[in-house]
């Protein structure tokens, strides 16, 4: 790996990356429903590779293709989210599950972490960036990249 590629690893816009992950999780409950899973199942260490079956109902062809594509993609996303959650710090995992699965408020999360609100905001940004790092791993199925480059020229 040359120096420019290595430097590029550190050239992400942490603020925008955190916003991208936040936006990803806004759609997460819908993704989990399409995968036929309860989002709270992410709290469980059990990982299943059970195949997903699709009904062959009589639908408009375009809607059927769109539905099949979405339902085929949703379990892969869920699998990648599980992987990412299992490869970040415990505090970051607690934040992501608390905020996006349990829908806990900022005040309650700060209490759970035993920190002030301003520290919690910093911890949350770190958690979202850790999640983005893990989600784009070569070991995930889709290798979703939620990072935002900060636009600086590499030397």
């Amino acid at each position: 790996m040359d120096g420019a590629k290595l430097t590029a690893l550190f050239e992400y816009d942490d603020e925008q990356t955190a916003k991208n992950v936040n936006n990803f999780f806004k759609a997460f409950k819908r993704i989990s429903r399409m995968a036929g899973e309860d989002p709270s199942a992410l709290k469980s260490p059990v990982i299943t590779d059970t195949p997903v079956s699709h009904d062959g109902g009589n639908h408009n062809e375009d809607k059927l293709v769109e539905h099949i594509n979405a339902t085929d993609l949703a379990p892969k996303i869920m699998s990648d989210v599980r992987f990412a959650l299992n490869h970040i710090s415990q505090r970051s995992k607690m934040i992501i599950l608390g905020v996006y699965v349990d829908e806990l408020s900022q005040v309650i999360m700060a209490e759970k972490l035993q920190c002030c609100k301003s520290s919690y905001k910093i911890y949350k940004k770190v958690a979202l960036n850790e999640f983005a790092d893990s989600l784009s791993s070569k070991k995930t199925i889709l290798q979703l990249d939620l990072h935002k480059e900060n636009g600086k020229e590499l030397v």
Side-chain angles (χ1 to χ4, degrees):
M1 174 178 270
D2 67 22
K5 288 181 182 176
L6 183 60
T7 303
L9 289 173
F10 305 104
E11 295 295 326
Y12 292 121
D13 180 336
D14 290 344
E15 288 291 330
Q16 188 58 49
T17 296
K19 288 178 185 177
N20 291 349
V21 174
N22 186 56
N23 290 335
F24 170 82
F25 276 109
K26 285 181 180 178
F28 182 70
K29 290 209 177 202
R30 182 170 189 218
I31 292 167
S32 64
R33 285 192 305 269
M34 293 174 86
E37 293 190 35
D38 181 351
S40 64
L42 291 174
K43 295 183 201 179
S44 170
V46 178
I47 297 176
T48 177
D49 289 329
T50 307
V52 176
S53 64
H54 307 285
D55 67 6
N58 191 7
H59 300 89
N60 175 314
E61 185 176 338
D62 291 338
K63 287 184 181 179
L64 180 61
V65 169
E66 183 179 314
H67 176 73
I68 288 171
N69 287 340
T71 54
D72 283 345
L73 191 58
K76 293 173 184 172
I77 294 172
M78 292 297 291
S79 177
D80 286 354
V81 167
R82 264 191 212 92
F83 176 89
L85 286 172
N86 287 323
H87 290 85
I88 61 177
S89 70
Q90 194 58 38
R91 179 175 57 206
S92 292
K93 183 175 182 177
M94 183 178 173
I95 291 170
I96 289 174
L97 292 175
V99 172
Y100 299 105
V101 175
D102 296 334
E103 298 178 349
L104 300 177
S105 71
Q106 183 173 313
V107 172
I108 292 173
M109 285 304 303
E111 287 174 6
K112 285 181 87 111
L113 295 170
Q114 300 177 347
C115 66
C116 64
K117 221 162 67 167
S118 60
S119 292
Y120 166 72
K121 287 180 180 182
I122 293 168
Y123 294 152
K124 183 178 177 189
K125 184 170 111 177
V126 168
L128 296 174
N129 278 275
E130 281 184 22
F131 181 83
D133 294 345
S134 292
L135 192 63
S136 63
S137 167
K138 296 259 186 227
K139 293 184 178 182
T140 57
I141 298 167
L142 300 173
Q143 297 174 4
L144 298 174
D145 191 357
L146 299 176
H147 292 98
K148 171 67 177 157
E149 293 181 23
N150 75 12
K152 291 183 182 175
E153 289 294 318
L154 299 177
V155 179

